Amino acid sequence: MEQDMEKRKRGRSEESEEEKWVHDASVDYKGRIPLRAFTGVWKASLFILSIEFSERVSHFGIASNLITYLTKVIHEDLKTAAKNVNYWAGTTTLMPLIGGFVADAYTGRFAMVLFSSLVYIMGLSLLTMTQFIPNLKPCNSKICHRPRKVHEVVFFLALYSISLGAGGYRPCLESFGADQFDDDHLQERKKKMSFFNWWSFALCFSMLIGSTMVVYVQDFVSWGVACLILTVFMALTIIAFYLGKPFYRYRKPEGNPFTLILQVLIAAIRKRNLQYPSNPTLLFEVPNSDKSQGRLLSHTSRLRFLDKAAIVEEKHVEQKDNAWRLATVTRVEETKLIVSVVPIWLTSLMVGVCASQGSTLFVKQAATMSLKISNNFEIPPASMVSVSAFGTLISVPIYDRIIVPNLRKVTGNERGINILRRIGIGLALSVMVMVVAALVETKRLRIAKGEIGQRTMSVFWLIPQYLILGIGDSFSLIGLQEYFYDQVPDSMRSLGMALYASVIGMGHFLSNFLIIIVDHITVKTSKSWIGKDINSSRLDRFYWMLGIINGLNFCVFLFLAKRYTYKTLQRKAIEIDGCNNDGGETMA
C-alpha cells in the first residue's frame, strides 16, 4: 500500500517536472527551451493583440471611408472609386502571401513583424503629410473640382506602403500569437481555440473604433487629424510589442517549404510505376530527425499517388539521404495537406466578395439614405460598417463562452463544432446577406424613383444586412483563420495565415472582376447595373446575382467538406483531461 502511494507521488512529481517545459519546437528569446510558467499563453498574446488592435484601427479607419475620400476629395466616379478601393484592399490582403513565405522560410515571424512595422508607420506618416504639407495637400483652397496630381501620386504611394507593411503584419502577427500556445498540451490547445475567437473579437472592436470614431474625425474634423492620431497610436503599440520580447515563444524558420513539396512531387513521379506496399507502415519515416516543428504526421489514404514518394526501392536503398528520390511519410502528408487546402481556399473566396460589398457598395447605399439620428447629429455613411463589427462582437463571446462549452459536453469534441462545419455556417449566412441586401435595395430604388409615396429611406434599413454580415464573419472568417493555421504544415503557418488573408484580397479582386463583366454585359442590353451614380444603377440585380453564386458555391463547399480528411499526428499530446480532438488535428 505504502509502495503504491510512493509510486503515485513519484509519478505526479515526474509529470509536474515534465509540465514545466514547453514540448513543441519553440524557443525563448535566448534560444533555450521555454519554461511554461514564464512564456507564452495569454501573458505574451496580450502584447501581440495590442499591436494588432492598432493596425486594425488604422486599416478600418482608412478602408471604411476610402470610397468617400475618392469620390468627394479626388472626385472619382462611383465605378472608378469602387475599383480603386477593391484594388487597394485586394493588394493589402494578397501581400501577406509574400510576407508569410519570407517569414516561414528565412526571417522568422518576430523579425518580420518588426520590419513591417517600420514600413507601415512610413505609409501612415506619408498619408499624414499629404494633409498637412501645403505642396502635398489636395488643393490650395477649400473648394476645388480636381485635386493636384502630386497629391494623388503621394496619396496612393502612402496607401500602397501601408499595403506593403500589412504584408508582414497580417500573416505573422496572428500565427505568432497562436504560437504562444503549445499544441501538445491539451489545456493550452483549448486556449488557442479561444485565442482565435478573441483575436477576431479584438479585430471587430478595432473595426468598430475605426469605422465610428476615426471616420467621425475624418468627416467632421479633418483627415489630417485622423491620420496623425493613427500614426501616433501605431508607434506606441510597436514599442509595447517590442517590450514583450522576453515573454514570447519563437519558432525558427525551416527554409523554403516549397522545395520540400517539390521533392515529394518529383519522387512520386519518378516512382509512379511502383506498386503500393500492402502495409502502410513499410513506408519510409525517420522518427527522430525528420520532423516538422517536432511533430510527425500519420499516414492517410487520401491522394495515394503521393505515397509512392515514401516507398523504399531495393535498388536505391543506399540513396535514403536523397530527398529528391525518397521522402518521409511526414513530408508526403504535408504535401497532401497543401493540395487538400486549395479547393477549400477556392470555395472560401465568396466570403471575401461579400465582405468587399460592405466597404464599397453598401457604403454608397448608406450615403443616399437619411442618416439623421436627431436634428443635430448624422451618422457618417462609412460608420454603418460598425454594425457588422457589432454583430461579430456579440456573436463571438456567445459562441466561445456558451455554445462551445455546451457542445463539448454533448459531443465530446474539444472544438465543440469542427472547423469546416463552422465555415459552412458562415457561407450559408453569406447567401442570406445578399438576399436581404437585394430586397432592401429594391425598396430604396422604388423610393428614389418616386414609385412609393415616401421621400427618403432611413439608413437603419441597412442594419439587417450589416448585422448578418458580421454574424457570418464570426463563423466563416474565424473558422478560416483556425483552418489555415491548423491544417497546413507546422513549418508553413505564417503562409497559412497569408492564405486566410488572401481570401479577402482575392474576394476584392473577384468583386472588381464581376463589376467589370456585369457592366460590360448589361450596358449592351439596356443600361449598366453599376452606373456612374447609385440611383441610375441596378445594384439589386447585382446582389441577386451574388446571392445565386454564393448558393452554388455553398453546395460545392458541402461536397468538399464531407470528403475532407483532417491532419493526423503520430505522437500523442500531453493530455491533462480526456477529450476528443475531432475536426482539427487528431492524435494517432
Side-chain angles (χ1 to χ4, degrees):
M1 183 90 174
E2 290 180 1
Q3 288 179 346
D4 289 343
M5 290 287 290
E6 188 65 30
K7 284 181 181 179
R8 288 176 186 174
K9 287 180 181 178
R10 196 184 310 120
R12 280 197 295 267
S13 173
E14 289 173 358
E15 184 178 344
S16 177
E17 183 66 27
E18 185 78 3
E19 281 292 300
K20 288 182 179 179
W21 307 97
V22 177
H23 294 273
D24 58 15
S26 299
V27 295
D28 65 10
Y29 74 110
K30 291 185 177 180
R32 304 168 301 190
I33 297 175
L35 277 168
R36 195 177 301 280
F38 298 109
T39 62
V41 290
W42 292 112
K43 73 176 79 62
S45 297
L46 290 176
F47 290 98
I48 300 167
L49 281 168
S50 68
I51 192 172
E52 168 67 6
F53 178 74
S54 70
E55 190 274 332
R56 295 283 79 194
V57 169
S58 299
H59 173 80
F60 288 119
I62 295 167
S64 299
N65 217 16
L66 183 56
I67 194 165
T68 304
Y69 190 89
L70 294 177
T71 52
K72 290 190 175 181
V73 179
I74 299 185
H75 300 289
E76 294 181 345
D77 60 51
L78 175 61
K79 194 187 307 180
T80 304
K83 287 179 184 178
N84 279 330
V85 171
N86 282 329
Y87 284 139
W88 176 73
T91 301
T92 303
T93 43
L94 284 178
M95 285 302 295
L97 290 171
I98 299 173
F101 168 75
V102 174
D104 281 340
Y106 305 111
T107 66
R109 288 154 199 166
F110 180 77
M112 177 57 73
V113 170
L114 285 181
F115 171 76
S116 300
S117 67
L118 298 177
V119 179
Y120 204 107
I121 209 82
M122 181 186 74
L124 284 176
S125 302
L126 202 57
L127 203 62
T128 305
M129 286 189 282
T130 63
Q131 306 300 317
F132 286 109
I133 296 177
N135 290 334
L136 296 180
K137 283 185 175 182
C139 301
N140 285 322
S141 59
K142 290 185 177 180
I143 302 173
C144 67
H145 299 289
R146 188 70 185 171
R148 295 170 173 167
K149 195 66 179 176
V150 67
H151 172 78
E152 289 188 66
V153 171
V154 178
F155 180 79
F156 281 106
L157 179 63
L159 283 182
Y160 283 95
S161 294
I162 291 171
S163 296
L164 185 62
Y169 263 87
R170 296 282 176 84
C172 298
L173 265 178
E174 189 168 2
S175 55
F176 188 55
D179 286 345
Q180 307 310 309
F181 302 87
D182 186 356
D183 279 313
D184 293 339
H185 187 277
L186 181 63
Q187 293 304 318
E188 289 197 17
R189 197 163 67 240
K190 286 183 178 180
K191 290 176 182 176
K192 180 185 285 190
M193 296 170 201
S194 289
F195 167 78
F196 285 110
N197 290 326
W198 291 107
W199 178 275
S200 294
F201 183 89
L203 185 149
C204 290
F205 188 63
S206 64
M207 181 194 291
L208 191 64
I209 299 296
S211 59
T212 53
M213 295 174 66
V214 176
V215 166
Y216 185 85
V217 173
Q218 290 167 347
D219 286 355
F220 298 105
V221 182
S222 77
W223 271 77
V225 172
C227 291
L228 182 61
I229 292 171
L230 295 176
T231 304
V232 173
F233 185 35
M234 188 75 178
L236 292 174
T237 54
I238 289 170
I239 295 170
F241 172 76
Y242 187 79
L243 291 176
K245 186 177 179 180
F247 302 103
Y248 301 141
R249 297 172 187 172
Y250 304 83
R251 298 291 182 95
K252 295 178 180 179
E254 295 190 10
N256 188 342
F258 293 111
T259 299
L260 301 175
I261 293 171
L262 185 61
Q263 287 171 343
V264 172
L265 294 174
I266 295 297
I269 292 170
R270 279 179 167 179
K271 293 184 277 190
R272 60 189 178 277
N273 295 323
L274 296 182
Q275 295 293 321
Y276 293 106
S278 56
N279 188 349
T281 59
L282 298 176
L283 296 173
F284 181 62
E285 183 64 281
V286 182
N288 296 319
S289 61
D290 193 290
K291 296 182 180 181
S292 174
Q293 293 289 9
R295 306 199 303 167
L296 299 174
L297 302 182
S298 293
H299 175 263
T300 62
S301 58
R302 61 182 170 185
L303 301 172
R304 289 190 63 200
F305 169 76
L306 295 174
D307 289 340
K308 294 188 176 184
I311 297 175
V312 180
E313 300 174 274
E314 292 183 7
K315 60 180 179 180
H316 294 294
V317 172
E318 73 284 353
Q319 295 188 13
K320 284 188 176 181
D321 292 332
N322 184 352
W324 295 95
R325 183 169 289 278
L326 180 64
T328 63
V329 169
T330 293
R331 294 302 182 199
V332 170
E333 290 301 320
E334 287 178 341
T335 305
K336 290 180 181 181
L337 287 174
I338 295 301
V339 175
S340 300
V341 157
V342 173
I344 300 297
W345 179 81
L346 289 172
T347 53
S348 65
L349 293 181
M350 288 309 298
V351 174
V353 173
C354 290
S356 72
Q357 309 313 313
S359 60
T360 53
L361 298 181
F362 287 6
V363 175
K364 292 308 292 181
Q365 276 181 285
T368 65
M369 303 168 87
S370 175
L371 300 165
K372 287 187 177 181
I373 292 182
S374 66
N375 292 331
N376 300 320
F377 185 76
E378 289 188 357
I379 304 173
S383 291
M384 288 302 296
V385 177
S386 64
V387 177
S388 173
F390 186 69
T392 306
L393 288 173
I394 292 173
S395 53
V396 165
I398 293 173
Y399 180 82
D400 189 72
R401 295 301 177 189
I402 299 175
I403 296 176
V404 169
N406 285 303
L407 284 175
R408 280 173 177 165
K409 292 176 183 177
V410 173
T411 64
N413 180 349
E414 70 180 41
R415 294 181 184 275
I417 181 173
N418 72 42
I419 304 175
L420 292 180
R421 193 167 294 164
R422 182 176 187 175
I423 296 169
I425 293 171
L427 288 174
L429 289 172
S430 295
V431 179
M432 191 182 299
V433 168
M434 301 321 303
V435 170
V436 172
L439 293 172
V440 171
E441 178 61 9
T442 300
K443 181 177 177 65
R444 192 199 67 79
L445 281 174
R446 292 183 67 191
I447 292 172
K449 294 175 181 178
E451 296 177 11
I452 300 177
Q454 187 177 333
R455 294 182 64 185
T456 57
M457 186 176 183
S458 173
V459 74
F460 293 127
W461 278 88
L462 295 181
I463 287 178
Q465 65 200 59
Y466 270 116
L467 199 59
I468 298 169
L469 184 63
I471 295 170
D473 286 350
S474 70
F475 286 94
S476 58
L477 292 183
I478 299 175
L480 287 168
Q481 289 172 31
E482 197 172 350
Y483 172 79
F484 285 114
Y485 180 87
D486 188 82
Q487 292 300 304
V488 298
D490 292 359
S491 60
M492 297 177 66
R493 282 177 159 171
S494 292
L495 197 58
M497 297 317 300
L499 284 171
Y500 153 71
S502 70
V503 166
I504 308 299
M506 286 300 296
H508 282 283
F509 282 118
L510 188 56
S511 179
N512 253 9
F513 175 74
L514 290 172
I515 288 173
I516 292 169
I517 295 298
V518 166
D519 178 59
H520 180 74
I521 294 174
T522 57
V523 77
K524 291 181 177 179
T525 55
S526 54
K527 65 177 183 178
S528 175
W529 288 2
I530 306 171
K532 289 189 175 182
D533 65 84
I534 194 166
N535 286 334
S536 65
S537 304
R538 289 305 306 265
L539 292 185
D540 55 334
R541 295 177 181 175
F542 183 67
Y543 292 154
W544 279 118
M545 182 193 75
L546 290 181
I548 293 169
I549 295 174
N550 269 284
L552 295 173
N553 180 72
F554 176 63
C555 294
V556 175
F557 176 84
L558 288 179
F559 175 82
L560 295 172
K562 286 181 179 179
R563 287 156 180 78
Y564 189 82
T565 304
Y566 289 95
K567 181 196 288 188
T568 307
L569 304 180
Q570 283 190 26
R571 185 160 52 87
K572 287 189 177 181
I574 300 170
E575 303 286 346
I576 304 304
D577 53 67
C579 192
N580 294 333
N581 190 31
D582 301 329
E585 294 177 344
T586 56
M587 305 295 173

PDB file of all heavy atoms in Angstrom, residues 9 34 61 66 121 124 270 321 384 447 473 487 564:
ATOM      1  N   LYS A   9       3.043   9.241  -5.986  1.00  0.00           N
ATOM      2  CA  LYS A   9       3.668  10.534  -5.708  1.00  0.00           C
ATOM      3  C   LYS A   9       4.814  10.814  -6.668  1.00  0.00           C
ATOM      4  O   LYS A   9       4.984  11.918  -7.172  1.00  0.00           O
ATOM      5  CB  LYS A   9       4.188  10.565  -4.265  1.00  0.00           C
ATOM      6  CG  LYS A   9       3.097  10.680  -3.223  1.00  0.00           C
ATOM      7  CD  LYS A   9       3.711  10.708  -1.830  1.00  0.00           C
ATOM      8  CE  LYS A   9       2.618  10.803  -0.756  1.00  0.00           C
ATOM      9  NZ  LYS A   9       3.196  10.777   0.608  1.00  0.00           N
ATOM     10  N   PRO A  34      11.624  26.912 -23.705  1.00  0.00           N
ATOM     11  CA  PRO A  34      10.892  27.859 -22.853  1.00  0.00           C
ATOM     12  C   PRO A  34      10.268  27.183 -21.629  1.00  0.00           C
ATOM     13  O   PRO A  34       9.806  26.049 -21.688  1.00  0.00           O
ATOM     14  CB  PRO A  34       9.785  28.394 -23.776  1.00  0.00           C
ATOM     15  CG  PRO A  34      10.116  27.901 -25.147  1.00  0.00           C
ATOM     16  CD  PRO A  34      10.933  26.667 -24.964  1.00  0.00           C
ATOM     17  N   GLY A  61     -10.073  52.429 -40.250  1.00  0.00           N
ATOM     18  CA  GLY A  61     -10.295  53.869 -40.313  1.00  0.00           C
ATOM     19  C   GLY A  61     -10.092  54.415 -41.712  1.00  0.00           C
ATOM     20  O   GLY A  61     -10.795  55.337 -42.152  1.00  0.00           O
ATOM     21  N   LEU A  66     -12.619  55.216 -47.393  1.00  0.00           N
ATOM     22  CA  LEU A  66     -11.789  55.498 -48.568  1.00  0.00           C
ATOM     23  C   LEU A  66     -12.626  55.835 -49.797  1.00  0.00           C
ATOM     24  O   LEU A  66     -12.282  56.739 -50.567  1.00  0.00           O
ATOM     25  CB  LEU A  66     -10.883  54.291 -48.859  1.00  0.00           C
ATOM     26  CG  LEU A  66      -9.891  54.448 -50.016  1.00  0.00           C
ATOM     27  CD1 LEU A  66      -8.982  55.661 -49.815  1.00  0.00           C
ATOM     28  CD2 LEU A  66      -9.058  53.172 -50.174  1.00  0.00           C
ATOM     29  N   ILE A 121       4.486  52.269 -40.587  1.00  0.00           N
ATOM     30  CA  ILE A 121       4.497  53.596 -39.969  1.00  0.00           C
ATOM     31  C   ILE A 121       4.944  54.643 -40.981  1.00  0.00           C
ATOM     32  O   ILE A 121       4.510  55.799 -40.933  1.00  0.00           O
ATOM     33  CB  ILE A 121       5.400  53.598 -38.705  1.00  0.00           C
ATOM     34  CG1 ILE A 121       4.896  54.633 -37.690  1.00  0.00           C
ATOM     35  CG2 ILE A 121       6.831  53.894 -39.030  1.00  0.00           C
ATOM     36  CD1 ILE A 121       3.787  54.160 -36.845  1.00  0.00           C
ATOM     37  N   LEU A 124       1.780  55.468 -42.986  1.00  0.00           N
ATOM     38  CA  LEU A 124       0.883  56.335 -42.221  1.00  0.00           C
ATOM     39  C   LEU A 124       1.433  57.761 -42.132  1.00  0.00           C
ATOM     40  O   LEU A 124       0.682  58.739 -42.222  1.00  0.00           O
ATOM     41  CB  LEU A 124       0.683  55.770 -40.814  1.00  0.00           C
ATOM     42  CG  LEU A 124      -0.253  54.569 -40.672  1.00  0.00           C
ATOM     43  CD1 LEU A 124      -0.255  54.062 -39.223  1.00  0.00           C
ATOM     44  CD2 LEU A 124      -1.668  54.910 -41.106  1.00  0.00           C
ATOM     45  N   ARG A 270       8.851   9.958 -60.173  1.00  0.00           N
ATOM     46  CA  ARG A 270       9.915   9.007 -60.508  1.00  0.00           C
ATOM     47  C   ARG A 270       9.485   7.560 -60.246  1.00  0.00           C
ATOM     48  O   ARG A 270       9.868   6.635 -60.963  1.00  0.00           O
ATOM     49  CB  ARG A 270      11.169   9.314 -59.687  1.00  0.00           C
ATOM     50  CG  ARG A 270      12.013  10.443 -60.240  1.00  0.00           C
ATOM     51  CD  ARG A 270      13.224  10.680 -59.340  1.00  0.00           C
ATOM     52  NE  ARG A 270      14.200  11.534 -59.995  1.00  0.00           N
ATOM     53  CZ  ARG A 270      15.352  11.929 -59.431  1.00  0.00           C
ATOM     54  NH1 ARG A 270      15.648  11.528 -58.200  1.00  0.00           N
ATOM     55  NH2 ARG A 270      16.190  12.700 -60.083  1.00  0.00           N
ATOM     56  N   ASP A 321      19.263   9.205 -48.219  1.00  0.00           N
ATOM     57  CA  ASP A 321      19.520  10.617 -47.906  1.00  0.00           C
ATOM     58  C   ASP A 321      19.204  11.533 -49.085  1.00  0.00           C
ATOM     59  O   ASP A 321      19.341  12.746 -48.971  1.00  0.00           O
ATOM     60  CB  ASP A 321      20.990  10.806 -47.500  1.00  0.00           C
ATOM     61  CG  ASP A 321      21.302  10.137 -46.166  1.00  0.00           C
ATOM     62  OD1 ASP A 321      20.361  10.018 -45.355  1.00  0.00           O
ATOM     63  OD2 ASP A 321      22.460   9.749 -45.946  1.00  0.00           O
ATOM     64  N   MET A 384     -21.614  52.837 -40.903  1.00  0.00           N
ATOM     65  CA  MET A 384     -22.538  51.701 -40.904  1.00  0.00           C
ATOM     66  C   MET A 384     -21.786  50.368 -40.860  1.00  0.00           C
ATOM     67  O   MET A 384     -22.339  49.344 -40.461  1.00  0.00           O
ATOM     68  CB  MET A 384     -23.439  51.752 -42.130  1.00  0.00           C
ATOM     69  CG  MET A 384     -24.490  52.848 -42.080  1.00  0.00           C
ATOM     70  SD  MET A 384     -25.577  52.721 -40.636  1.00  0.00           S
ATOM     71  CE  MET A 384     -26.411  51.166 -40.945  1.00  0.00           C
ATOM     72  N   ILE A 447     -38.271  54.036 -53.936  1.00  0.00           N
ATOM     73  CA  ILE A 447     -38.461  55.335 -53.272  1.00  0.00           C
ATOM     74  C   ILE A 447     -37.738  56.431 -54.030  1.00  0.00           C
ATOM     75  O   ILE A 447     -38.270  57.530 -54.244  1.00  0.00           O
ATOM     76  CB  ILE A 447     -37.967  55.259 -51.803  1.00  0.00           C
ATOM     77  CG1 ILE A 447     -38.865  54.340 -50.989  1.00  0.00           C
ATOM     78  CG2 ILE A 447     -37.913  56.648 -51.165  1.00  0.00           C
ATOM     79  CD1 ILE A 447     -38.349  54.040 -49.591  1.00  0.00           C
ATOM     80  N   ASP A 473     -19.378  36.529 -40.414  1.00  0.00           N
ATOM     81  CA  ASP A 473     -17.914  36.609 -40.277  1.00  0.00           C
ATOM     82  C   ASP A 473     -17.422  35.879 -39.038  1.00  0.00           C
ATOM     83  O   ASP A 473     -16.323  35.308 -39.039  1.00  0.00           O
ATOM     84  CB  ASP A 473     -17.476  38.073 -40.205  1.00  0.00           C
ATOM     85  CG  ASP A 473     -17.550  38.777 -41.552  1.00  0.00           C
ATOM     86  OD1 ASP A 473     -17.764  38.082 -42.568  1.00  0.00           O
ATOM     87  OD2 ASP A 473     -17.419  40.021 -41.593  1.00  0.00           O
ATOM     88  N   GLN A 487      -4.417  23.447 -40.458  1.00  0.00           N
ATOM     89  CA  GLN A 487      -4.389  22.390 -41.462  1.00  0.00           C
ATOM     90  C   GLN A 487      -3.263  22.502 -42.481  1.00  0.00           C
ATOM     91  O   GLN A 487      -3.219  21.716 -43.421  1.00  0.00           O
ATOM     92  CB  GLN A 487      -5.736  22.330 -42.186  1.00  0.00           C
ATOM     93  CG  GLN A 487      -6.877  21.863 -41.302  1.00  0.00           C
ATOM     94  CD  GLN A 487      -6.652  20.463 -40.741  1.00  0.00           C
ATOM     95  OE1 GLN A 487      -6.432  19.508 -41.480  1.00  0.00           O
ATOM     96  NE2 GLN A 487      -6.674  20.340 -39.424  1.00  0.00           N
ATOM     97  N   TYR A 564     -13.399  15.653 -46.731  1.00  0.00           N
ATOM     98  CA  TYR A 564     -12.121  16.176 -46.254  1.00  0.00           C
ATOM     99  C   TYR A 564     -11.565  15.308 -45.120  1.00  0.00           C
ATOM    100  O   TYR A 564     -12.304  14.836 -44.259  1.00  0.00           O
ATOM    101  CB  TYR A 564     -12.300  17.611 -45.747  1.00  0.00           C
ATOM    102  CG  TYR A 564     -10.991  18.300 -45.425  1.00  0.00           C
ATOM    103  CD1 TYR A 564     -10.226  18.892 -46.418  1.00  0.00           C
ATOM    104  CD2 TYR A 564     -10.504  18.330 -44.118  1.00  0.00           C
ATOM    105  CE1 TYR A 564      -9.029  19.501 -46.133  1.00  0.00           C
ATOM    106  CE2 TYR A 564      -9.303  18.943 -43.821  1.00  0.00           C
ATOM    107  CZ  TYR A 564      -8.572  19.524 -44.824  1.00  0.00           C
ATOM    108  OH  TYR A 564      -7.370  20.138 -44.535  1.00  0.00           O
TER     109      TYR A 564
END
